[in-house]
Amino acid sequence: YYKDKGEEKVWNVPRIIKITDSFGNVFDNIDDKGMHYTIHNIPQTVRSGDTYTVWIEVDSSFLQNEYDIKWRTDKQLSENDNKFQLTYKFANQDISEHMYISCKIISHKEWHKYQSYDSEICLHFQVLPPIE
């Protein structure tokens, strides 16, 4: 997108280029034309008690010590910062039509593409109650 506009050097920031998850989903060639890349309602059914793992791949032209990785859910920050994967166990507090997990890439530069970060993915889930 930015290369087509001739702006690839203006926004030379680390960004997420691929997402893989424990359900076998692969989202590659991530194109963050807007504020972030959103995947609405992962196609697999998720229930409280299920465990989910997601891996990100960051543009390899940037060294890992040039940026931070920040994970969070809509309820809490994660302890997986600066890791390329997050494993999350859904709990009753996550039961919702629209629960999310997000990951932000934040370069160590003094400026950022989106004011406080450079790339973000946001994964939305419908989390159902456990089967009783």
Side-chain angles (χ1 to χ4, degrees):
Y1 173 76
Y2 289 103
K3 191 173 186 176
D4 290 344
K5 291 176 63 175
E7 296 179 9
E8 71 275 11
K9 292 183 180 167
V10 172
W11 300 120
N12 187 22
V13 295
R15 64 184 194 89
I16 299 166
I17 59 171
K18 184 175 183 179
I19 308 162
T20 308
D21 72 13
S22 55
F23 294 137
N25 295 312
V26 177
F27 306 96
D28 57 7
N29 297 318
I30 303 298
D31 189 4
D32 64 344
K33 290 182 182 178
M35 290 294 282
H36 58 253
Y37 185 83
T38 302
I39 300 169
H40 290 282
N41 291 328
I42 300 295
Q44 287 73 16
T45 299
V46 178
R47 294 190 175 273
S48 175
D50 289 350
T51 300
Y52 177 77
T53 303
V54 59
W55 295 267
I56 60 162
E57 184 178 325
V58 178
D59 181 345
S60 63
S61 67
F62 293 88
L63 300 174
Q64 189 175 354
N65 66 359
E66 294 181 284
Y67 58 86
D68 291 318
I69 301 170
K70 301 285 184 186
W71 293 95
R72 72 171 291 131
T73 70
D74 59 348
K75 304 280 189 225
Q76 64 191 21
L77 295 173
S78 171
E79 297 177 8
N80 279 49
D81 287 350
N82 291 319
K83 296 182 182 172
F84 292 98
Q85 86 171 53
L86 171 75
T87 297
Y88 186 78
K89 184 171 183 175
F90 294 98
N92 286 339
Q93 71 183 20
D94 299 317
I95 295 171
S96 172
E97 183 72 22
H98 299 288
M99 182 271 181
Y100 75 85
I101 294 173
S102 74
C103 179
K104 288 183 179 179
I105 306 300
I106 305 167
S107 75
H108 293 166
K109 296 178 181 177
E110 292 181 13
W111 57 269
H112 302 287
K113 184 175 178 182
Y114 300 118
Q115 295 184 6
S116 64
Y117 66 94
D118 298 291
S119 182
E120 178 183 33
I121 57 146
C122 195
L123 306 165
H124 289 256
F125 300 84
Q126 179 186 54
V127 183
L128 302 174
I131 297 176
E132 297 180 19

